[in-house]
Amino acid sequence: MIKFSKIIKDIGFSFSFKRLKKALLLITLFTLIGLSIYFLNKYEDSEIGLKKLYEKEISGKIDIEDNSIIRIYKKDINEDNNLDFVFIMGKEKRSGTDTLNSTLEMYNEVTFVVIDGKTNDIIKYDTKTSFEPDVTLKIIEDENDRYFLISDYSGNIDLIKIKDNKVIDIIGNTTSKEFLGYTIDTIRDEGNPNILTVKLDNYGKDYLKEYKDVKSLDFTNSKLDLKKYRETYLRDKFSKFEFKDINNDGILELVTTQYILYSLDDSITTNKTIGKVEVYFNIKEDKLVYNKIEINI
């Protein structure tokens, strides 16, 4: 120990608790600064952070009036090497007049907006649709086109594309009415409680192929008690929309999903649905064209 103290003195270092406290204080301070910068950068790169940043950037370009920005992206969508703003906005419907003490129930009068990053020209399109709070805007691209999918989990949807600075409403070109799926009827097998028979009726929707087959689903291997499930209330509404390249040709198809049964057990928070009807649509001449249907567990 004496030799170690002598070595310390020989290199000119004198130890004191005061200096140690200062060193620890500086280390703590620099650590806090580093963490603050890290989390600030992480926040700015998050969806919420980017949304606030983009809202500030567009504030001088457009008057959103009494609308709220729901989803916003910054992306070059016209290939002119300038980033454009693409977003949806709508009027909030809340459970009360006090924003802080109320819940968001719906977005009404949802509008799709594009602000050209080079010219600041604005394209606005009124979807004429109200959406649930979980509404999303997705930009979908394949080898042929770029699509903008606006949808929520209760079946509300708008699918559009932009051509020559004009908005093309693909859902509107497909049907003049609400875009709905098959009406689902199920029959329980009294002899085998694990068997569920599914019947579908398109009720004259010309964008859906008439389905006359009867499909039996066997839930034996799933170890689920079908008595704990009921038919979904959304018997003819889609619950999910996604794009898939089903034949690996670089062209995407729209896949719509309807769930067949819904759990009666309120304690279950995940996997609330079982059984699904998936309808695949091609996009041809700016409208949806029926491709195929799959019914499975």
Side-chain angles (χ1 to χ4, degrees):
M1 187 68 182
I2 296 174
K3 288 183 179 180
F4 178 75
S5 300
K6 186 176 184 302
I7 292 172
I8 294 298
K9 288 180 180 179
D10 288 342
I11 63 176
F13 179 81
S14 58
F15 175 82
S16 73
F17 283 106
K18 187 175 182 180
R19 288 182 179 179
L20 178 61
K21 289 180 180 179
K22 286 183 178 180
L24 292 174
L25 182 61
L26 286 173
I27 292 172
T28 303
L29 180 61
F30 287 133
T31 300
L32 290 174
I33 292 173
L35 288 173
S36 298
I37 294 172
Y38 169 78
F39 285 113
L40 178 62
N41 290 335
K42 193 170 183 180
Y43 171 76
E44 290 178 344
D45 291 336
S46 69
E47 184 176 346
I48 296 175
L50 289 173
K51 181 172 179 285
K52 289 186 176 295
L53 176 63
Y54 296 161
E55 284 179 344
K56 186 176 181 180
E57 291 182 14
I58 68 170
S59 60
K61 304 176 187 293
I62 185 174
D63 182 7
I64 65 171
E65 299 175 343
D66 58 344
N67 291 289
S68 297
I69 302 293
I70 306 170
R71 297 286 186 276
I72 184 168
Y73 299 97
K74 199 172 184 181
K75 183 179 179 66
D76 181 10
I77 64 167
N78 51 16
E79 282 78 39
D80 64 354
N81 295 319
N82 289 278
L83 295 176
D84 310 299
F85 289 101
V86 182
F87 62 95
I88 51 174
M89 62 182 184
K91 294 177 172 57
E92 294 185 358
K93 178 185 176 183
R94 291 189 164 271
S95 58
T97 56
D98 187 352
T99 302
L100 295 177
N101 297 313
S102 62
T103 57
L104 179 62
E105 296 180 339
M106 188 79 68
Y107 285 108
N108 293 323
E109 300 178 38
V110 172
T111 303
F112 172 78
V113 183
V114 174
I115 303 178
D116 190 290
K118 183 178 182 180
T119 65
N120 285 334
D121 289 342
I122 298 174
I123 298 173
K124 293 177 71 174
Y125 170 72
D126 181 6
T127 67
K128 297 182 176 64
T129 305
S130 294
F131 289 88
E132 299 287 335
D134 58 21
V135 60
T136 61
L137 167 64
K138 295 181 180 179
I139 302 175
I140 314 294
E141 298 176 347
D142 65 12
E143 292 184 0
N144 279 352
D145 265 308
R146 177 185 291 113
Y147 304 101
F148 303 91
L149 173 63
I150 308 168
S151 64
D152 60 28
Y153 287 111
S154 65
N156 299 306
I157 181 178
D158 219 315
L159 179 62
I160 56 184
K161 67 182 251 188
I162 297 176
K163 185 177 182 180
D164 299 326
N165 290 326
K166 293 183 179 179
V167 173
I168 297 174
D169 182 359
I170 294 172
I171 298 297
N173 290 343
T174 303
T175 176
S176 60
K177 300 179 181 179
E178 187 178 3
F179 184 56
L180 298 171
Y182 289 94
T183 297
I184 303 173
D185 283 311
T186 61
I187 301 172
R188 313 281 177 131
D189 189 323
E190 294 182 1
N192 189 341
N194 295 313
I195 299 295
L196 184 73
T197 300
V198 179
K199 293 182 179 180
L200 303 179
D201 196 324
N202 68 347
Y203 278 103
K205 303 180 186 74
D206 57 3
Y207 54 87
L208 293 176
K209 185 177 180 180
E210 188 176 1
Y211 190 84
K212 296 182 178 180
D213 295 339
V214 176
K215 178 76 172 183
S216 290
L217 299 179
D218 189 346
F219 289 87
T220 302
N221 294 331
S222 66
K223 298 180 181 179
L224 294 173
D225 184 359
L226 295 189
K227 294 179 181 178
K228 295 183 178 180
Y229 290 82
R230 59 162 171 78
E231 285 188 354
T232 175
Y233 292 142
L234 305 175
R235 294 182 66 196
D236 61 354
K237 296 199 74 172
F238 298 113
S239 293
K240 187 170 69 171
F241 305 93
E242 57 187 333
F243 277 85
K244 293 181 180 179
D245 183 0
I246 61 175
N247 48 12
N248 298 315
D249 62 353
I251 307 303
L252 296 170
E253 288 78 30
L254 176 67
V255 184
T256 63
T257 300
Q258 292 176 262
Y259 295 111
I260 299 173
L261 296 181
Y262 189 84
S263 174
L264 291 167
D265 189 348
D266 293 334
S267 65
I268 297 177
T269 57
T270 59
N271 299 323
K272 296 283 287 187
T273 56
I274 57 173
K276 57 186 178 181
V277 177
E278 293 181 318
V279 181
Y280 293 71
F281 293 96
N282 298 110
I283 302 178
K284 294 182 178 179
E285 298 180 355
D286 297 331
K287 69 177 183 179
L288 298 177
V289 178
Y290 183 97
N291 180 310
K292 67 175 183 176
I293 184 173
E294 292 183 358
I295 305 172
N296 49 58
I297 295 176

